[in-house]
Amino acid sequence: MHVAWGIPQRMSYCASLVAACAIAVRIFRGRVFPVAAVLLLGACSFHSPERGGARIPGDGSLGNVLAFEVYQYIGAPYLLGGASPKGFDCSGLMYYVYKRHGITIPRTAQEQSRFGRAVGKNPLKPGDLLFFSRKGKQINHVGMFVGDDTFVHALNPEWGVLTTRLSTLVAERAGKKLNLRWKFFHARRIVS
C-alpha cells in the first residue's frame, strides 16, 4: 500500500531521526556514530525513496523544496521589515526562502503580488504565494502554500511564523485561536 506523507508527517519523521541520532552520539560519546548519524539524517532528506510502503517525502520539485524550507521557520519571531531567521515579516519570509534557493523575488507583498504567474485557488501547488487583502484591492499579507490546505506565513509580533488553513483562515497556536480578517486575493506561481 502506498501512503503519501504530508509535510507535518515528514517533519515528525525527521525529528524522530534527529532525536535518535542525538541519543546515539551521546551513548557512544561521539566515537563511531557521527557517521551513522549523518546516514540517518540522509534518510530523512526531502528526496527520500520509498520505504516500507510509505513515500517519503515528496517529488523533489522546487516548489516542494521551497515548502519544506519555509516549514522549518515555524516558530521564528516576527519582525517588521525582517528577512532573516532572527525575525521575519510576511514578505521577508518569502523573500528569504526563495533567495536561499537562488531566486530573487521583490521584497514587499505588494510587489510580490505582481511577480510570477497568476494561478487559481484550485489547484494550488507547494511553493505558490498566496496574497490576502483586508479591504478592497490592496494586498496586505502574503504566505506560502505548503499543501493540504495549509500555508506558512509570518503573522505579527505575538504569533510569529506559523501555519494556517486556507479554508478557514483561523490561526491556532498553543490552544489559542485568531480569526484572520483577510480575504484571499489571488495566488502567484514563481516556479513550475
Side-chain angles (χ1 to χ4, degrees):
M1 177 180 199
H2 181 270
V3 178
W5 283 9
I7 288 176
Q9 291 88 358
R10 293 175 210 159
M11 295 300 288
S12 176
Y13 173 77
C14 291
S16 297
L17 286 176
V18 169
C21 290
I23 291 167
V25 168
R26 209 173 307 132
I27 289 172
F28 294 96
R29 297 192 179 121
R31 292 187 193 126
V32 176
F33 276 81
V35 172
V38 169
L39 294 173
L40 277 172
L41 288 174
C44 84
S45 77
F46 200 68
H47 305 285
S48 297
E50 287 196 18
R51 285 176 199 270
R55 186 167 184 261
I56 308 168
D59 66 4
S61 70
L62 184 53
N64 277 326
V65 171
L66 291 164
F68 184 76
E69 172 92 17
V70 78
Y71 214 88
Q72 295 180 61
Y73 299 106
I74 292 171
Y78 179 93
L79 177 65
L80 184 61
S84 80
K86 292 180 182 179
F88 294 105
D89 65 14
C90 64
S91 59
L93 177 60
M94 303 307 115
Y95 176 84
Y96 180 82
V97 169
Y98 271 89
K99 185 80 169 168
R100 287 200 17 104
H101 292 278
I103 301 166
T104 301
I105 64 173
R107 176 57 186 84
T108 68
Q110 191 71 242
E111 293 168 330
Q112 290 172 1
S113 73
R114 295 185 292 269
F115 195 77
R117 180 171 53 98
V119 293
K121 199 171 183 179
N122 292 311
L124 291 169
K125 291 184 177 179
D128 287 349
L129 297 184
L130 309 178
F131 296 92
F132 302 89
S133 173
R134 284 194 194 112
K135 302 176 190 174
K137 297 190 182 238
Q138 176 137 355
I139 301 297
N140 302 103
H141 194 68
V142 60
M144 182 184 295
F145 185 74
V146 294
D148 299 325
D149 187 44
T150 303
F151 66 102
V152 174
H153 57 123
L155 184 55
N156 60 32
E158 181 183 352
W159 290 72
V161 177
L162 73 160
T163 61
T164 300
R165 292 249 175 236
L166 182 57
S167 58
T168 63
L169 291 179
V170 174
E172 295 184 49
R173 190 186 73 194
K176 291 173 64 177
K177 291 185 179 187
L178 178 65
N179 187 6
L180 305 178
R181 297 180 182 154
W182 306 322
K183 292 190 182 208
F184 175 77
F185 194 80
H186 68 248
R188 305 290 288 193
R189 184 161 297 149
I190 311 300
V191 298
S192 300

